[in-house]
Amino acid sequence: MPTSSPSPEPLPSRRIAETLRAAIENGELSPGDRLPSERSLAEQYGAARNTAREAIRILAEQGLVIAEHGRGVFVRERKRLLRFGSDRYSLKNRETGLTPFRLEAARQGRTARIEVLGITREEPPEDVAERLGVPTGIAGVVHRENHYFADDEPVQIVSTYLKWEEAQGTPLMEPRSGPHGIYGRLEELGHVMTRGRDEITARMPSPHESALLRLPPGVPVLEVLHTSFDQNAEPFEVSRYVHRADRAGLLYELPVEQAES
Amino acid sequence: MPTSSPSPEPLPSRRIAETLRAAIENGELSPGDRLPSERSLAEQYGAARNTAREAIRILAEQGLVIAEHGRGVFVRERKRLLRFGSDRYSLKNRETGLTPFRLEAARQGRTARIEVLGITREEPPEDVAERLGVPTGIAGVVHRENHYFADDEPVQIVSTYLKWEEAQGTPLMEPRSGPHGIYGRLEELGHVMTRGRDEITARMPSPHESALLRLPPGVPVLEVLHTSFDQNAEPFEVSRYVHRADRAGLLYELPVEQAES
DNA sequence: TTCCGTAACTGGCTTGAGCCAGTTGAGCAT
DNA sequence: ATGCTCAACTGGCTCAAGCCAGTTACGGAA
């Protein structure tokens, strides 16, 4: 081990983490492989078990490794399976009869399952209210919460918000909203989507999201706040997509506007 | 509330973390406020210092809190300042004479600084090679690495890759590439951007990125892999944007293609 | 043969102790 | 007033020990 030390890095936990990281990156340890146990790492490096444990925590935080209680610590698979993005709302996809999620899952050879968690009348969260153009403080929206699974693994939580006054008494309040999903119904209500806006952020999950998505530590979430605008440039639907970032990516195809001269 | 729980939450560290989290979320503790010290938390909850420490680690991992050596633990500001996205490449922005980054920084009232780290001939990374349509294994690309700062805080690392055969001997090899930046030069070489593709992922930073962006623990990065296509649908430029996710978001405006019937 | 208990692993979490390093402010010397 | 030292805080990291809980494989009982 020619561990050159021109830099000040004498910390045992980092040294162990760095050694393991190197082993992972040069392929000595492949995805799925088990790392030495905490106890044996500690012995091997002449450190306390807590120190070996700390090293593993560092790697877990970087998303390189996943600890499984009672089984061991494993090098994480680096697959990124699903891609969502600008064609999510493309009307062209209507022709397939599949929702965008099922379409993408099918592309990847995975089985899709969608669970409707609830359809309730609620007060909108502030960011949603702002975008949908409804007031906060009153129960002015319908909130449809869906969970999406690929091969029974939860990958996406979607909360869709519609104006209560419009959704009231329509199939928009039903779990199965009919042909072409809610966009079909919204079109019948006179809203043709002509423009969408996606606001994308990433962050660490809340404990709630962590549980719902069964997230291992060290996996961030991608949050997309989508707003649909109709032919009158009125917002008529806002959705919040929360993806686990190690399983989903986003893909946007952008036509570039040419300069008008 | 479908979360049925037999309330199995006797863990001291989580209990402390949960209490603090609640205090933060209901405003008892505001952004910038100092939390009690590890030692006093431990005493207050009748736990060991390590346990209080673990509680703080949990909050830090969720990005709620930031520990400063020698000073204390503080509730983190949750400003999200900069937004980048679909108009990043819009030719319309050319008219301002500002690069997209300077434009966005100016919008937010912040001072922009761009540092050119290096312009070197290199072998492309695999994902870049694939998208740019060049072989791996030979030094077939020019890599321009820039770091972007807002108010002297690093917010973005950008690596731009161009084909060596095209860039060779042109201003594309210079730090200051002339009017309208590299896109101006590429246009002179016959590449008009007509389409772009952005592939977006989020992940925890590598130690290298962590250092460059001066990232506190618990902050993920947003990575955008951008490909520019010219009038012949040929890719001519690939860029990798790495943002700190707590300071930057992405904004995409999407014209929705209407169904052709 | 199948089934089931158990032993020997695994990580999860806590304790309590100690030392190091960065920060701050009070108070002394100039 | 200015500038310095230093004590008393802060978090950072490690150690050593112990108990708990999930997993797995082996071996004996049915």
Side-chain angles (χ1 to χ4, degrees):
Chain A
M1 256 80 77
T3 30
S4 62
S5 46
S7 53
E9 196 125 14
L11 288 170
S13 61
R14 314 230 182 211
R15 195 170 66 85
I16 300 175
E18 218 27 68
T19 307
L20 291 173
R21 168 177 252 272
I24 291 170
E25 295 196 333
N26 75 15
E28 263 170 69
L29 289 167
S30 310
D33 284 3
R34 221 195 73 185
L35 270 59
S37 75
E38 294 176 353
R39 285 161 177 91
S40 62
L41 274 178
E43 193 186 9
Q44 185 178 332
Y45 287 87
R49 186 186 155 204
N50 271 353
T51 303
R53 191 173 166 68
E54 169 72 6
I56 286 173
R57 205 193 53 72
I58 291 171
L59 296 175
E61 194 171 277
Q62 294 170 4
L64 285 174
V65 120
I66 171 74
E68 296 183 24
H69 191 172
R71 307 211 326 118
V73 178
F74 300 86
V75 179
R76 191 178 270 167
E77 303 281 345
R78 231 191 278 271
K79 53 182 174 183
R80 173 161 286 111
L81 295 160
L82 302 169
R83 302 203 300 185
F84 306 103
S86 50
D87 67 347
R88 177 143 52 179
Y89 301 99
S90 172
L91 298 185
K92 291 193 303 188
N93 285 340
R94 291 263 183 97
E95 296 159 12
T96 65
L98 291 174
T99 58
F101 180 77
R102 290 191 187 283
L103 188 61
E104 178 63 15
R107 263 184 213 152
Q108 310 273 342
R110 312 187 77 191
T111 46
R113 186 163 61 84
I114 301 176
E115 205 171 284
V116 180
L117 256 280
I119 302 174
T120 54
R121 181 178 179 183
E122 285 178 16
E123 284 185 26
E126 197 177 323
D127 54 354
V128 171
E130 201 177 293
R131 284 160 184 79
L132 194 53
V134 298
T136 51
I138 64 166
V141 297
V142 172
H143 174 194
R144 299 175 60 104
E145 182 170 350
N146 295 341
H147 293 186
Y148 290 72
F149 301 79
D151 292 340
D152 283 322
E153 187 182 53
V155 290
Q156 192 178 235
I157 301 172
V158 182
S159 281
T160 298
Y161 297 88
L162 304 166
K163 296 177 185 171
W164 164 248
E165 53 187 41
E166 290 187 342
Q168 187 179 7
T170 72
L172 290 170
M173 298 300 293
E174 303 301 323
R176 306 191 53 96
S177 46
H180 304 311
I182 60 168
Y183 292 114
R185 299 298 75 66
L186 285 162
E187 223 164 84
E188 293 166 6
L189 288 171
H191 297 298
V192 180
M193 197 195 309
T194 57
R195 200 161 59 79
R197 175 189 295 152
D198 282 8
E199 294 166 83
I200 301 164
T201 56
R203 54 181 170 75
M204 296 313 283
S206 68
H208 179 68
E209 291 165 339
S210 205
L212 284 179
L213 290 171
R214 295 206 285 271
L215 286 177
V219 176
V221 294
L222 268 170
E223 176 175 322
V224 181
L225 194 60
H226 169 85
T227 311
S228 296
F229 296 89
D230 68 12
Q231 67 282 3
N232 303 319
E234 281 290 321
F236 65 96
E237 178 252 338
V238 172
S239 294
R240 188 193 312 278
Y241 294 76
V242 179
H243 304 266
R244 56 183 292 180
D246 63 336
R247 288 283 185 272
L250 303 170
L251 173 67
Y252 288 84
E253 296 276 357
L254 317 162
V256 172
E257 310 147 36
Q258 300 302 313
E260 306 146 21
S261 56
Chain B
M1 267 83 74
T3 29
S4 62
S5 59
S7 76
E9 198 120 17
L11 287 170
S13 61
R14 313 235 182 208
R15 195 170 66 85
I16 300 175
E18 217 28 67
T19 307
L20 292 173
R21 169 176 251 271
I24 292 170
E25 295 196 334
N26 75 15
E28 261 169 70
L29 290 167
S30 310
D33 283 3
R34 221 195 72 185
L35 269 59
S37 74
E38 294 177 353
R39 284 162 178 90
S40 63
L41 273 178
E43 192 186 10
Q44 185 178 331
Y45 287 87
R49 185 186 156 205
N50 271 352
T51 303
R53 192 173 166 68
E54 169 72 7
I56 287 173
R57 204 194 53 71
I58 290 171
L59 296 174
E61 194 172 278
Q62 294 172 3
L64 285 174
V65 120
I66 171 75
E68 296 182 25
H69 191 173
R71 305 211 327 118
V73 178
F74 300 86
V75 180
R76 190 179 270 167
E77 306 277 347
R78 52 174 140 242
K79 52 182 173 182
R80 171 159 289 109
L81 294 159
L82 302 169
R83 301 203 299 185
F84 306 104
S86 51
D87 66 348
R88 179 143 51 179
Y89 301 99
S90 172
L91 298 185
K92 290 193 305 188
N93 283 341
R94 291 264 182 96
E95 296 160 12
T96 65
L98 291 173
T99 58
F101 180 77
R102 290 192 188 283
L103 189 62
E104 178 63 16
R107 264 183 212 154
Q108 310 273 342
R110 311 187 78 191
T111 45
R113 187 163 59 85
I114 301 175
E115 206 170 282
V116 180
L117 256 280
I119 301 173
T120 53
R121 182 179 178 183
E122 285 179 16
E123 284 184 26
E126 196 177 324
D127 54 354
V128 171
E130 201 177 296
R131 284 159 184 78
L132 194 53
V134 298
T136 51
I138 64 166
V141 297
V142 172
H143 175 194
R144 299 175 60 104
E145 182 170 349
N146 295 341
H147 293 186
Y148 290 73
F149 300 80
D151 292 340
D152 283 322
E153 187 182 54
V155 289
Q156 191 179 235
I157 301 172
V158 182
S159 281
T160 297
Y161 297 89
L162 305 166
K163 296 177 185 173
W164 163 248
E165 52 187 42
E166 291 188 342
Q168 186 179 8
T170 72
L172 290 170
M173 299 299 293
E174 303 301 323
R176 305 191 55 95
S177 46
H180 303 311
I182 61 168
Y183 293 112
R185 298 297 77 63
L186 286 162
E187 224 165 83
E188 293 166 6
L189 289 171
H191 296 299
V192 179
M193 197 194 311
T194 57
R195 200 162 59 81
R197 174 189 295 153
D198 282 8
E199 294 165 84
I200 301 164
T201 57
R203 54 180 170 77
M204 296 313 284
S206 68
H208 179 68
E209 291 165 338
S210 204
L212 284 179
L213 290 171
R214 296 206 283 272
L215 285 178
V219 176
V221 294
L222 267 172
E223 177 175 322
V224 180
L225 194 61
H226 169 86
T227 311
S228 296
F229 297 88
D230 68 11
Q231 67 282 4
N232 304 318
E234 281 290 321
F236 64 96
E237 178 252 339
V238 172
S239 294
R240 188 193 313 278
Y241 294 75
V242 178
H243 303 268
R244 59 183 289 179
D246 63 336
R247 288 283 185 274
L250 303 170
L251 173 67
Y252 287 85
E253 296 275 357
L254 316 162
V256 172
E257 309 147 37
Q258 299 303 312
E260 304 146 21
S261 55

